[in-house]
Every structure is written in structure tokens, then in C-alpha cells.
Amino acid sequence: MTLPSLALLLFAVFSSAAGQIMLKHGMAAAATTAGKAGGSLAVRAATTPWVVLGLLVFAISAVAWMTTLARVPLSIAYPFNALGYLLIVLAGSTLLHERTSVWTWAGSLLVVAGLVTVFLGQRN
């Protein structure tokens, strides 16, 4: 895998994770507003800036992912999504103040260990 392909792949994974965090933050705000003021959650979500931004970032990540798939074999690219799990757990606990357990961290690290194993196996 070339360095530009790796950079594109990592951009796709990181932007996907960022989009998911933005969507979660926006949906929590939309649900709170809909619960207090009433109205449709769908309408609140569609007009919440974090939801709109999250969808935009997620769309950009989808384009980056499709471009990655044109350059990198799926058997190599797809395991990199495991890195997204770790990013989501990290961002969820630090930015969204979600509770995580030792088991969550251990499982996430095991998934990333699998990613490292696949990556190192491709270098031979």
C-alpha cells in the first residue's frame, strides 16, 4: 500500500468517526429540544447544526472510502475500520462524557491489535 493510499484510508476512517460523534452530539441535542418543546424529532434533527455537519462530514468520508476502495484491496482496507471503533470509544468517553468500562477498552484494544496483525501480515 502506498503512502497516499494509506493517508486516504486513514482520512476516511477518521472522518467517518468524526461524523458519527457529531451526529450523536446533534441527536442528543435534538432529542432534548423535542422533549422539552415538543414537535417532531425528525424535524428537530434536520434543523440541528451538529446533525447537518455530521451528515456532511459522513458524506465526505463516504467519498474518501469509495476512492480508497478503488486503490486498495478490500481485504486490507476494511480491517482499518477497526480503528474507528477505538476512535469512537475515545471520543465518546472524552467529548460526550459517556461511561466506558475496562471491558470496553480491552475489547477495543483487541480489535486494534487485530488491525495491526492484518497490516503487518500485508507487509510481508
Side-chain angles (χ1 to χ4, degrees):
M1 179 173 4
T2 66
L3 188 58
S5 293
L6 178 61
L8 183 62
L9 176 55
L10 290 174
F11 174 77
V13 171
F14 275 75
S15 59
S16 175
Q20 293 295 332
I21 292 297
M22 290 175 196
L23 286 171
K24 171 62 178 168
H25 179 67
M27 287 306 297
T32 299
T33 302
K36 289 180 181 177
S40 167
L41 177 59
V43 171
R44 296 287 181 189
T47 58
T48 300
W50 282 108
V51 171
V52 174
L53 183 60
L55 289 171
L56 177 64
V57 170
F58 198 64
I60 291 168
S61 78
V63 171
W65 180 249
M66 290 185 295
T67 306
T68 298
L69 291 179
R71 300 177 182 181
V72 178
L74 184 61
S75 62
I76 296 171
Y78 197 76
F80 272 83
N81 282 321
L83 185 57
Y85 293 120
L86 183 62
L87 296 171
I88 294 290
V89 170
L90 180 63
S93 67
T94 58
L95 299 175
L96 301 176
H97 309 291
E98 294 180 348
R99 293 180 55 143
T100 55
S101 70
V102 169
W103 295 108
T104 302
W105 287 107
S108 297
L109 291 175
L110 284 173
V111 169
V112 171
L115 166 65
V116 170
T117 302
V118 168
F119 183 72
L120 292 175
Q122 295 301 319
R123 297 182 65 166
N124 294 329

mmCIF file of all heavy atoms in Angstrom, residues 1-53:
data_model
loop_
_atom_site.group_PDB
_atom_site.id
_atom_site.type_symbol
_atom_site.label_atom_id
_atom_site.label_comp_id
_atom_site.label_asym_id
_atom_site.label_seq_id
_atom_site.Cartn_x
_atom_site.Cartn_y
_atom_site.Cartn_z
ATOM 1 N N MET A 1 0.865 -1.179 0.000
ATOM 2 C CA MET A 1 0.000 0.000 0.000
ATOM 3 C C MET A 1 0.905 1.233 0.000
ATOM 4 O O MET A 1 1.852 1.308 0.767
ATOM 5 C CB MET A 1 -0.900 -0.010 1.240
ATOM 6 C CG MET A 1 -1.784 1.185 1.319
ATOM 7 S SD MET A 1 -3.054 1.234 2.623
ATOM 8 C CE MET A 1 -2.823 -0.185 3.600
ATOM 9 N N THR A 2 0.574 2.185 -0.860
ATOM 10 C CA THR A 2 1.371 3.400 -0.952
ATOM 11 C C THR A 2 1.008 4.366 0.186
ATOM 12 O O THR A 2 -0.069 4.251 0.786
ATOM 13 C CB THR A 2 1.142 4.104 -2.301
ATOM 14 O OG1 THR A 2 -0.215 4.553 -2.349
ATOM 15 C CG2 THR A 2 1.441 3.175 -3.469
ATOM 16 N N LEU A 3 1.887 5.292 0.452
ATOM 17 C CA LEU A 3 1.639 6.287 1.499
ATOM 18 C C LEU A 3 0.403 7.135 1.203
ATOM 19 O O LEU A 3 -0.423 7.351 2.107
ATOM 20 C CB LEU A 3 2.879 7.164 1.701
ATOM 21 C CG LEU A 3 2.831 8.121 2.889
ATOM 22 C CD1 LEU A 3 2.599 7.371 4.201
ATOM 23 C CD2 LEU A 3 4.102 8.939 2.957
ATOM 24 N N PRO A 4 0.197 7.614 -0.040
ATOM 25 C CA PRO A 4 -1.035 8.366 -0.319
ATOM 26 C C PRO A 4 -2.309 7.534 -0.100
ATOM 27 O O PRO A 4 -3.305 8.054 0.402
ATOM 28 C CB PRO A 4 -0.893 8.779 -1.790
ATOM 29 C CG PRO A 4 0.572 8.790 -2.038
ATOM 30 C CD PRO A 4 1.127 7.677 -1.193
ATOM 31 N N SER A 5 -2.263 6.247 -0.454
ATOM 32 C CA SER A 5 -3.421 5.386 -0.233
ATOM 33 C C SER A 5 -3.684 5.191 1.254
ATOM 34 O O SER A 5 -4.833 5.205 1.701
ATOM 35 C CB SER A 5 -3.219 4.023 -0.896
ATOM 36 O OG SER A 5 -3.197 4.159 -2.295
ATOM 37 N N LEU A 6 -2.624 5.023 2.028
ATOM 38 C CA LEU A 6 -2.764 4.892 3.473
ATOM 39 C C LEU A 6 -3.331 6.173 4.079
ATOM 40 O O LEU A 6 -4.225 6.127 4.931
ATOM 41 C CB LEU A 6 -1.422 4.552 4.114
ATOM 42 C CG LEU A 6 -1.412 4.433 5.642
ATOM 43 C CD1 LEU A 6 -2.346 3.323 6.102
ATOM 44 C CD2 LEU A 6 0.004 4.208 6.145
ATOM 45 N N ALA A 7 -2.850 7.326 3.613
ATOM 46 C CA ALA A 7 -3.355 8.610 4.113
ATOM 47 C C ALA A 7 -4.837 8.774 3.788
ATOM 48 O O ALA A 7 -5.627 9.211 4.644
ATOM 49 C CB ALA A 7 -2.544 9.767 3.520
ATOM 50 N N LEU A 8 -5.236 8.401 2.591
ATOM 51 C CA LEU A 8 -6.643 8.487 2.193
ATOM 52 C C LEU A 8 -7.499 7.538 3.030
ATOM 53 O O LEU A 8 -8.584 7.911 3.492
ATOM 54 C CB LEU A 8 -6.792 8.171 0.705
ATOM 55 C CG LEU A 8 -8.197 8.280 0.133
ATOM 56 C CD1 LEU A 8 -8.730 9.706 0.247
ATOM 57 C CD2 LEU A 8 -8.195 7.823 -1.319
ATOM 58 N N LEU A 9 -6.998 6.350 3.244
ATOM 59 C CA LEU A 9 -7.713 5.368 4.064
ATOM 60 C C LEU A 9 -7.892 5.873 5.493
ATOM 61 O O LEU A 9 -8.990 5.805 6.059
ATOM 62 C CB LEU A 9 -6.950 4.039 4.051
ATOM 63 C CG LEU A 9 -7.470 2.910 4.918
ATOM 64 C CD1 LEU A 9 -8.919 2.593 4.608
ATOM 65 C CD2 LEU A 9 -6.603 1.673 4.727
ATOM 66 N N LEU A 10 -6.843 6.408 6.078
ATOM 67 C CA LEU A 10 -6.938 6.944 7.434
ATOM 68 C C LEU A 10 -7.873 8.151 7.492
ATOM 69 O O LEU A 10 -8.631 8.314 8.451
ATOM 70 C CB LEU A 10 -5.549 7.301 7.965
ATOM 71 C CG LEU A 10 -4.644 6.104 8.255
ATOM 72 C CD1 LEU A 10 -3.243 6.571 8.630
ATOM 73 C CD2 LEU A 10 -5.237 5.215 9.327
ATOM 74 N N PHE A 11 -7.842 8.993 6.452
ATOM 75 C CA PHE A 11 -8.772 10.119 6.398
ATOM 76 C C PHE A 11 -10.213 9.623 6.377
ATOM 77 O O PHE A 11 -11.076 10.166 7.061
ATOM 78 C CB PHE A 11 -8.490 10.999 5.172
ATOM 79 C CG PHE A 11 -9.507 12.086 4.994
ATOM 80 C CD1 PHE A 11 -9.459 13.226 5.784
ATOM 81 C CD2 PHE A 11 -10.525 11.964 4.063
ATOM 82 C CE1 PHE A 11 -10.408 14.229 5.643
ATOM 83 C CE2 PHE A 11 -11.484 12.955 3.915
ATOM 84 C CZ PHE A 11 -11.420 14.100 4.709
ATOM 85 N N ALA A 12 -10.481 8.587 5.594
ATOM 86 C CA ALA A 12 -11.834 8.033 5.517
ATOM 87 C C ALA A 12 -12.293 7.514 6.877
ATOM 88 O O ALA A 12 -13.423 7.776 7.304
ATOM 89 C CB ALA A 12 -11.888 6.923 4.469
ATOM 90 N N VAL A 13 -11.413 6.815 7.575
ATOM 91 C CA VAL A 13 -11.764 6.251 8.884
ATOM 92 C C VAL A 13 -11.955 7.357 9.920
ATOM 93 O O VAL A 13 -12.946 7.368 10.661
ATOM 94 C CB VAL A 13 -10.693 5.239 9.341
ATOM 95 C CG1 VAL A 13 -10.911 4.812 10.780
ATOM 96 C CG2 VAL A 13 -10.690 4.018 8.418
ATOM 97 N N PHE A 14 -11.028 8.298 9.978
ATOM 98 C CA PHE A 14 -11.119 9.381 10.967
ATOM 99 C C PHE A 14 -12.323 10.279 10.705
ATOM 100 O O PHE A 14 -13.017 10.681 11.640
ATOM 101 C CB PHE A 14 -9.830 10.214 10.977
ATOM 102 C CG PHE A 14 -8.751 9.643 11.835
ATOM 103 C CD1 PHE A 14 -8.022 8.540 11.432
ATOM 104 C CD2 PHE A 14 -8.446 10.212 13.067
ATOM 105 C CE1 PHE A 14 -7.015 7.998 12.211
ATOM 106 C CE2 PHE A 14 -7.446 9.684 13.863
ATOM 107 C CZ PHE A 14 -6.721 8.571 13.434
ATOM 108 N N SER A 15 -12.589 10.600 9.437
ATOM 109 C CA SER A 15 -13.728 11.473 9.143
ATOM 110 C C SER A 15 -15.049 10.754 9.403
ATOM 111 O O SER A 15 -16.022 11.374 9.840
ATOM 112 C CB SER A 15 -13.651 12.027 7.719
ATOM 113 O OG SER A 15 -13.632 11.003 6.760
ATOM 114 N N SER A 16 -15.095 9.464 9.173
ATOM 115 C CA SER A 16 -16.295 8.693 9.488
ATOM 116 C C SER A 16 -16.562 8.729 10.993
ATOM 117 O O SER A 16 -17.703 8.958 11.427
ATOM 118 C CB SER A 16 -16.143 7.248 9.011
ATOM 119 O OG SER A 16 -17.249 6.478 9.414
ATOM 120 N N ALA A 17 -15.524 8.513 11.773
ATOM 121 C CA ALA A 17 -15.671 8.558 13.238
ATOM 122 C C ALA A 17 -16.086 9.958 13.696
ATOM 123 O O ALA A 17 -16.969 10.101 14.554
ATOM 124 C CB ALA A 17 -14.370 8.135 13.909
ATOM 125 N N ALA A 18 -15.487 10.986 13.116
ATOM 126 C CA ALA A 18 -15.847 12.364 13.482
ATOM 127 C C ALA A 18 -17.305 12.649 13.139
ATOM 128 O O ALA A 18 -18.031 13.261 13.931
ATOM 129 C CB ALA A 18 -14.934 13.358 12.764
ATOM 130 N N GLY A 19 -17.748 12.192 11.970
ATOM 131 C CA GLY A 19 -19.141 12.377 11.583
ATOM 132 C C GLY A 19 -20.090 11.690 12.550
ATOM 133 O O GLY A 19 -21.128 12.248 12.921
ATOM 134 N N GLN A 20 -19.741 10.494 12.987
ATOM 135 C CA GLN A 20 -20.586 9.766 13.940
ATOM 136 C C GLN A 20 -20.678 10.499 15.280
ATOM 137 O O GLN A 20 -21.757 10.574 15.873
ATOM 138 C CB GLN A 20 -20.041 8.349 14.167
ATOM 139 C CG GLN A 20 -20.138 7.453 12.971
ATOM 140 C CD GLN A 20 -21.584 7.164 12.582
ATOM 141 O OE1 GLN A 20 -22.491 7.171 13.398
ATOM 142 N NE2 GLN A 20 -21.786 6.903 11.308
ATOM 143 N N ILE A 21 -19.572 11.043 15.741
ATOM 144 C CA ILE A 21 -19.579 11.787 17.006
ATOM 145 C C ILE A 21 -20.438 13.045 16.867
ATOM 146 O O ILE A 21 -21.217 13.389 17.765
ATOM 147 C CB ILE A 21 -18.136 12.145 17.440
ATOM 148 C CG1 ILE A 21 -17.382 10.861 17.819
ATOM 149 C CG2 ILE A 21 -18.126 13.131 18.588
ATOM 150 C CD1 ILE A 21 -17.962 10.103 18.997
ATOM 151 N N MET A 22 -20.315 13.742 15.746
ATOM 152 C CA MET A 22 -21.142 14.938 15.514
ATOM 153 C C MET A 22 -22.621 14.573 15.462
ATOM 154 O O MET A 22 -23.465 15.293 16.025
ATOM 155 C CB MET A 22 -20.721 15.612 14.211
ATOM 156 C CG MET A 22 -19.377 16.260 14.270
ATOM 157 S SD MET A 22 -18.917 16.888 12.629
ATOM 158 C CE MET A 22 -17.180 17.133 12.851
ATOM 159 N N LEU A 23 -22.940 13.464 14.794
ATOM 160 C CA LEU A 23 -24.336 13.021 14.723
ATOM 161 C C LEU A 23 -24.877 12.678 16.113
ATOM 162 O O LEU A 23 -26.003 13.052 16.454
ATOM 163 C CB LEU A 23 -24.466 11.809 13.798
ATOM 164 C CG LEU A 23 -24.349 12.094 12.309
ATOM 165 C CD1 LEU A 23 -24.269 10.798 11.511
ATOM 166 C CD2 LEU A 23 -25.514 12.944 11.826
ATOM 167 N N LYS A 24 -24.089 11.998 16.915
ATOM 168 C CA LYS A 24 -24.524 11.641 18.263
ATOM 169 C C LYS A 24 -24.765 12.896 19.099
ATOM 170 O O LYS A 24 -25.785 13.020 19.786
ATOM 171 C CB LYS A 24 -23.477 10.737 18.930
ATOM 172 C CG LYS A 24 -23.701 10.475 20.391
ATOM 173 C CD LYS A 24 -25.007 9.753 20.660
ATOM 174 C CE LYS A 24 -25.144 9.476 22.157
ATOM 175 N NZ LYS A 24 -26.469 9.054 22.514
ATOM 176 N N HIS A 25 -23.842 13.832 19.033
ATOM 177 C CA HIS A 25 -23.989 15.088 19.776
ATOM 178 C C HIS A 25 -25.222 15.849 19.317
ATOM 179 O O HIS A 25 -26.018 16.330 20.126
ATOM 180 C CB HIS A 25 -22.726 15.935 19.601
ATOM 181 C CG HIS A 25 -22.777 17.245 20.304
ATOM 182 N ND1 HIS A 25 -22.787 17.353 21.677
ATOM 183 C CD2 HIS A 25 -22.833 18.510 19.827
ATOM 184 C CE1 HIS A 25 -22.846 18.638 22.022
ATOM 185 N NE2 HIS A 25 -22.875 19.345 20.906
ATOM 186 N N GLY A 26 -25.409 15.938 18.015
ATOM 187 C CA GLY A 26 -26.556 16.648 17.462
ATOM 188 C C GLY A 26 -27.874 15.977 17.782
ATOM 189 O O GLY A 26 -28.870 16.642 18.097
ATOM 190 N N MET A 27 -27.902 14.658 17.724
ATOM 191 C CA MET A 27 -29.148 13.939 18.023
ATOM 192 C C MET A 27 -29.515 14.033 19.498
ATOM 193 O O MET A 27 -30.701 14.097 19.839
ATOM 194 C CB MET A 27 -29.045 12.479 17.575
ATOM 195 C CG MET A 27 -29.109 12.310 16.082
ATOM 196 S SD MET A 27 -30.565 13.071 15.295
ATOM 197 C CE MET A 27 -31.893 12.145 16.044
ATOM 198 N N ALA A 28 -28.526 14.067 20.367
ATOM 199 C CA ALA A 28 -28.815 14.246 21.791
ATOM 200 C C ALA A 28 -29.444 15.612 22.020
ATOM 201 O O ALA A 28 -30.425 15.744 22.766
ATOM 202 C CB ALA A 28 -27.539 14.086 22.615
ATOM 203 N N ALA A 29 -28.906 16.636 21.367
ATOM 204 C CA ALA A 29 -29.470 17.986 21.490
ATOM 205 C C ALA A 29 -30.869 18.049 20.887
ATOM 206 O O ALA A 29 -31.779 18.652 21.469
ATOM 207 C CB ALA A 29 -28.550 19.000 20.804
ATOM 208 N N ALA A 30 -31.062 17.423 19.744
ATOM 209 C CA ALA A 30 -32.379 17.424 19.090
ATOM 210 C C ALA A 30 -33.410 16.699 19.943
ATOM 211 O O ALA A 30 -34.556 17.160 20.071
ATOM 212 C CB ALA A 30 -32.286 16.778 17.706
ATOM 213 N N ALA A 31 -33.029 15.590 20.551
ATOM 214 C CA ALA A 31 -33.948 14.837 21.400
ATOM 215 C C ALA A 31 -34.327 15.637 22.639
ATOM 216 O O ALA A 31 -35.496 15.640 23.053
ATOM 217 C CB ALA A 31 -33.330 13.501 21.795
ATOM 218 N N THR A 32 -33.365 16.334 23.220
ATOM 219 C CA THR A 32 -33.647 17.165 24.390
ATOM 220 C C THR A 32 -34.608 18.288 24.025
ATOM 221 O O THR A 32 -35.592 18.536 24.728
ATOM 222 C CB THR A 32 -32.339 17.751 24.962
ATOM 223 O OG1 THR A 32 -31.497 16.668 25.360
ATOM 224 C CG2 THR A 32 -32.610 18.648 26.150
ATOM 225 N N THR A 33 -34.357 18.956 22.914
ATOM 226 C CA THR A 33 -35.221 20.052 22.463
ATOM 227 C C THR A 33 -36.622 19.549 22.138
ATOM 228 O O THR A 33 -37.613 20.166 22.528
ATOM 229 C CB THR A 33 -34.605 20.741 21.227
ATOM 230 O OG1 THR A 33 -33.300 21.212 21.566
ATOM 231 C CG2 THR A 33 -35.454 21.911 20.778
ATOM 232 N N ALA A 34 -36.708 18.427 21.443
ATOM 233 C CA ALA A 34 -38.016 17.869 21.099
ATOM 234 C C ALA A 34 -38.771 17.439 22.351
ATOM 235 O O ALA A 34 -39.995 17.593 22.427
ATOM 236 C CB ALA A 34 -37.861 16.689 20.146
ATOM 237 N N GLY A 35 -38.039 16.930 23.336
ATOM 238 C CA GLY A 35 -38.676 16.513 24.576
ATOM 239 C C GLY A 35 -39.216 17.676 25.385
ATOM 240 O O GLY A 35 -40.287 17.582 25.990
ATOM 241 N N LYS A 36 -38.502 18.791 25.379
ATOM 242 C CA LYS A 36 -38.919 19.972 26.149
ATOM 243 C C LYS A 36 -39.965 20.795 25.413
ATOM 244 O O LYS A 36 -40.952 21.223 25.996
ATOM 245 C CB LYS A 36 -37.704 20.846 26.472
ATOM 246 C CG LYS A 36 -36.779 20.245 27.482
ATOM 247 C CD LYS A 36 -35.602 21.174 27.757
ATOM 248 C CE LYS A 36 -34.653 20.551 28.761
ATOM 249 N NZ LYS A 36 -33.468 21.390 28.985
ATOM 250 N N ALA A 37 -39.722 21.039 24.137
ATOM 251 C CA ALA A 37 -40.594 21.939 23.384
ATOM 252 C C ALA A 37 -41.658 21.200 22.573
ATOM 253 O O ALA A 37 -42.554 21.825 22.013
ATOM 254 C CB ALA A 37 -39.752 22.811 22.444
ATOM 255 N N GLY A 38 -41.524 19.884 22.501
ATOM 256 C CA GLY A 38 -42.463 19.125 21.689
ATOM 257 C C GLY A 38 -42.078 19.169 20.224
ATOM 258 O O GLY A 38 -41.056 19.724 19.843
ATOM 259 N N GLY A 39 -42.891 18.583 19.417
ATOM 260 C CA GLY A 39 -42.620 18.561 17.986
ATOM 261 C C GLY A 39 -41.931 17.283 17.573
ATOM 262 O O GLY A 39 -41.622 16.413 18.378
ATOM 263 N N SER A 40 -41.673 17.200 16.314
ATOM 264 C CA SER A 40 -41.096 16.015 15.712
ATOM 265 C C SER A 40 -39.588 15.960 15.928
ATOM 266 O O SER A 40 -38.885 16.946 15.678
ATOM 267 C CB SER A 40 -41.396 16.017 14.213
ATOM 268 O OG SER A 40 -40.629 15.056 13.553
ATOM 269 N N LEU A 41 -39.108 14.807 16.357
ATOM 270 C CA LEU A 41 -37.662 14.626 16.498
ATOM 271 C C LEU A 41 -36.980 14.728 15.134
ATOM 272 O O LEU A 41 -35.894 15.289 15.027
ATOM 273 C CB LEU A 41 -37.355 13.280 17.157
ATOM 274 C CG LEU A 41 -35.876 12.927 17.306
ATOM 275 C CD1 LEU A 41 -35.133 13.974 18.129
ATOM 276 C CD2 LEU A 41 -35.727 11.547 17.933
ATOM 277 N N ALA A 42 -37.624 14.226 14.090
ATOM 278 C CA ALA A 42 -37.043 14.279 12.745
ATOM 279 C C ALA A 42 -36.840 15.727 12.288
ATOM 280 O O ALA A 42 -35.806 16.068 11.714
ATOM 281 C CB ALA A 42 -37.918 13.525 11.757
ATOM 282 N N VAL A 43 -37.822 16.575 12.573
ATOM 283 C CA VAL A 43 -37.703 17.987 12.186
ATOM 284 C C VAL A 43 -36.614 18.661 13.004
ATOM 285 O O VAL A 43 -35.810 19.431 12.479
ATOM 286 C CB VAL A 43 -39.059 18.719 12.352
ATOM 287 C CG1 VAL A 43 -38.899 20.218 12.165
ATOM 288 C CG2 VAL A 43 -40.078 18.155 11.379
ATOM 289 N N ARG A 44 -36.579 18.365 14.297
ATOM 290 C CA ARG A 44 -35.525 18.935 15.160
ATOM 291 C C ARG A 44 -34.144 18.489 14.676
ATOM 292 O O ARG A 44 -33.214 19.293 14.628
ATOM 293 C CB ARG A 44 -35.721 18.523 16.614
ATOM 294 C CG ARG A 44 -36.968 19.038 17.253
ATOM 295 C CD ARG A 44 -36.860 20.506 17.531
ATOM 296 N NE ARG A 44 -38.098 20.948 18.175
ATOM 297 C CZ ARG A 44 -38.393 22.177 18.401
ATOM 298 N NH1 ARG A 44 -37.562 23.141 18.050
ATOM 299 N NH2 ARG A 44 -39.526 22.507 18.973
ATOM 300 N N ALA A 45 -34.025 17.213 14.337
ATOM 301 C CA ALA A 45 -32.734 16.706 13.882
ATOM 302 C C ALA A 45 -32.307 17.380 12.581
ATOM 303 O O ALA A 45 -31.143 17.746 12.414
ATOM 304 C CB ALA A 45 -32.805 15.192 13.698
ATOM 305 N N ALA A 46 -33.243 17.549 11.669
ATOM 306 C CA ALA A 46 -32.928 18.138 10.364
ATOM 307 C C ALA A 46 -32.503 19.596 10.468
ATOM 308 O O ALA A 46 -31.862 20.119 9.566
ATOM 309 C CB ALA A 46 -34.128 18.017 9.433
ATOM 310 N N THR A 47 -32.846 20.238 11.583
ATOM 311 C CA THR A 47 -32.506 21.654 11.751
ATOM 312 C C THR A 47 -31.438 21.873 12.825
ATOM 313 O O THR A 47 -31.145 23.016 13.168
ATOM 314 C CB THR A 47 -33.765 22.465 12.116
ATOM 315 O OG1 THR A 47 -34.337 21.938 13.322
ATOM 316 C CG2 THR A 47 -34.783 22.412 10.992
ATOM 317 N N THR A 48 -30.850 20.793 13.319
ATOM 318 C CA THR A 48 -29.781 20.905 14.314
ATOM 319 C C THR A 48 -28.443 20.994 13.586
ATOM 320 O O THR A 48 -28.090 20.099 12.812
ATOM 321 C CB THR A 48 -29.798 19.688 15.260
ATOM 322 O OG1 THR A 48 -31.069 19.637 15.916
ATOM 323 C CG2 THR A 48 -28.695 19.772 16.292
ATOM 324 N N PRO A 49 -27.672 22.063 13.817
ATOM 325 C CA PRO A 49 -26.408 22.242 13.088
ATOM 326 C C PRO A 49 -25.443 21.064 13.212
ATOM 327 O O PRO A 49 -24.791 20.695 12.229
ATOM 328 C CB PRO A 49 -25.814 23.511 13.700
ATOM 329 C CG PRO A 49 -27.002 24.264 14.210
ATOM 330 C CD PRO A 49 -27.967 23.222 14.671
ATOM 331 N N TRP A 50 -25.329 20.457 14.394
ATOM 332 C CA TRP A 50 -24.405 19.335 14.559
ATOM 333 C C TRP A 50 -24.831 18.129 13.731
ATOM 334 O O TRP A 50 -23.986 17.387 13.235
ATOM 335 C CB TRP A 50 -24.258 18.952 16.031
ATOM 336 C CG TRP A 50 -23.351 19.877 16.775
ATOM 337 C CD1 TRP A 50 -23.718 20.817 17.699
ATOM 338 C CD2 TRP A 50 -21.934 19.982 16.649
ATOM 339 N NE1 TRP A 50 -22.620 21.485 18.150
ATOM 340 C CE2 TRP A 50 -21.503 20.990 17.528
ATOM 341 C CE3 TRP A 50 -20.983 19.314 15.884
ATOM 342 C CZ2 TRP A 50 -20.162 21.355 17.667
ATOM 343 C CZ3 TRP A 50 -19.642 19.677 16.019
ATOM 344 C CH2 TRP A 50 -19.252 20.684 16.901
ATOM 345 N N VAL A 51 -26.122 17.922 13.570
ATOM 346 C CA VAL A 51 -26.604 16.810 12.741
ATOM 347 C C VAL A 51 -26.282 17.087 11.274
ATOM 348 O O VAL A 51 -25.765 16.216 10.567
ATOM 349 C CB VAL A 51 -28.118 16.572 12.943
ATOM 350 C CG1 VAL A 51 -28.654 15.563 11.930
ATOM 351 C CG2 VAL A 51 -28.401 16.104 14.365
ATOM 352 N N VAL A 52 -26.559 18.280 10.829
ATOM 353 C CA VAL A 52 -26.280 18.647 9.435
ATOM 354 C C VAL A 52 -24.781 18.545 9.151
ATOM 355 O O VAL A 52 -24.359 17.966 8.137
ATOM 356 C CB VAL A 52 -26.822 20.061 9.125
ATOM 357 C CG1 VAL A 52 -26.408 20.513 7.737
ATOM 358 C CG2 VAL A 52 -28.335 20.093 9.286
ATOM 359 N N LEU A 53 -23.950 19.075 10.048
ATOM 360 C CA LEU A 53 -22.498 19.000 9.876
ATOM 361 C C LEU A 53 -22.018 17.547 9.918
ATOM 362 O O LEU A 53 -21.172 17.142 9.117
ATOM 363 C CB LEU A 53 -21.792 19.829 10.957
ATOM 364 C CG LEU A 53 -20.270 19.896 10.865
ATOM 365 C CD1 LEU A 53 -19.828 20.515 9.540
ATOM 366 C CD2 LEU A 53 -19.710 20.692 12.038
#
